[in-house]
Amino acid sequence: MNHIPPLPALDADTQLEIFTHRSIRYTPDGQESVDRLAELGSSVLSMAVVHALFSKQPKFSAEELKVRQLKLTRELARTSSRRNTWLSLYGMKSKVRGVADRSILDKPEEYNFLFNSYVGAVYDQKGFPTVIQWLGRLIDPEAQAIPLPGDGSSPPPYTSNSSAHSSPVATTSTTLSTMTLDSPPPPPSVPPSMTVLATFNQTCTQRGMTINWDATADGPSHQPRWVVRCLGGS
């Protein structure tokens, strides 16, 4: 490999944690922090491998994608793997402090932990697009361009030459976002008072509440004043 993509930069505190060997970390919190980054980086690296293979042209079949992913993942975990080579090319092993015998950094568990920790930190601080651009070119140096998820460069699952499909979707989404399940929009011909009462009854029914109406009359019989109380309970 004659050239490699630039190593994404991390803040000084994170670099200090990553490049301090586990054997001399004094605080449990410091060790736990890097362990978490390594676990995160392991999953992110796997996702980057799948994305790099998924983006290759011509496209692999699902079965071939699965086989190539497994093969590349195993290769990355071997002692003579590309992951170990990447660490050497970036000079990352030389930055590790706190080890008397530096040959231990050539052990798979050591360099995997170191590289995964850095990947996890890049993902945490820079986001997945930066990880994809970086690892994608490491995994496939021959790739002309590394497409990013969601950048619109990939075709949709299906296409249509009619624009009539897009407009109703936007309209429906907008309409649904302004509605609530408990308060459907009333028809124009329904009086506001009836709408409130209907919505109230519907809400009580949905919530399993029992409603009783207590009506009393006050005043002269020819012109009573009615008072209706709503009594609800579950």
Side-chain angles (χ1 to χ4, degrees):
M1 186 184 297
N2 296 327
H3 58 85
I4 56 175
L7 185 68
L10 300 174
D11 65 56
D13 290 340
T14 302
Q15 290 193 55
L16 181 61
E17 287 188 10
I18 291 176
F19 292 120
T20 299
H21 194 262
R22 290 177 285 180
S23 61
I24 64 167
R25 291 199 186 102
Y26 302 108
T27 60
D29 291 344
Q31 174 60 48
E32 178 69 17
S33 175
V34 181
D35 286 346
R36 282 164 44 85
L37 289 176
E39 287 297 322
L40 176 63
S42 177
S43 297
V44 172
L45 179 59
S46 297
M47 183 61 188
V49 168
V50 175
H51 184 270
L53 295 173
F54 180 82
S55 303
K56 283 186 69 67
Q57 296 292 339
K59 297 180 179 179
F60 297 132
S61 66
E63 183 62 27
E64 190 174 8
L65 184 65
K66 181 179 179 180
V67 171
R68 287 177 178 268
Q69 176 195 356
L70 182 60
K71 179 181 178 181
L72 184 53
T73 300
R74 287 175 175 173
E75 179 185 339
L76 291 174
R78 291 201 304 263
T79 303
S80 58
S81 74
R82 281 192 277 176
R83 182 160 27 183
N84 193 23
T85 302
W86 296 337
L87 286 172
S88 298
L89 290 173
Y90 282 122
M92 295 173 69
K93 291 183 180 180
S94 63
K95 298 178 182 179
V96 177
R97 65 188 186 94
V99 285
D101 181 8
R102 305 196 70 82
S103 64
I104 68 171
L105 298 177
D106 292 325
K107 295 182 178 180
E109 63 269 20
E110 290 289 338
Y111 66 69
N112 285 339
F113 184 87
L114 176 59
F115 191 79
N116 289 345
S117 299
Y118 204 94
V119 172
V122 172
Y123 175 83
D124 183 50
Q125 294 186 10
K126 306 292 185 178
F128 197 56
T130 299
V131 173
I132 286 295
Q133 292 293 331
W134 170 42
L135 294 181
R137 287 185 168 82
L138 281 177
I139 295 168
D140 186 8
E142 305 300 325
Q144 297 298 320
I146 308 297
L148 297 177
D151 66 356
S153 60
S154 301
Y158 61 90
T159 58
S160 173
N161 57 3
S162 172
S163 61
H165 297 285
S166 59
S167 179
V169 172
T171 304
T172 303
S173 300
T174 302
T175 303
L176 290 176
S177 66
T178 58
M179 294 171 58
T180 62
L181 296 178
D182 292 339
S183 303
S189 59
V190 178
S193 59
M194 294 298 294
T195 300
V196 173
L197 183 59
T199 301
F200 175 76
N201 287 330
Q202 180 186 13
T203 301
C204 292
T205 301
Q206 291 175 342
R207 297 181 180 180
M209 299 178 64
T210 302
I211 302 299
N212 293 312
W213 301 95
D214 181 21
T216 58
D218 187 20
S221 58
H222 65 280
Q223 193 177 5
R225 176 177 177 273
W226 288 95
V227 177
V228 180
R229 295 186 301 166
C230 178
L231 306 177
S234 57

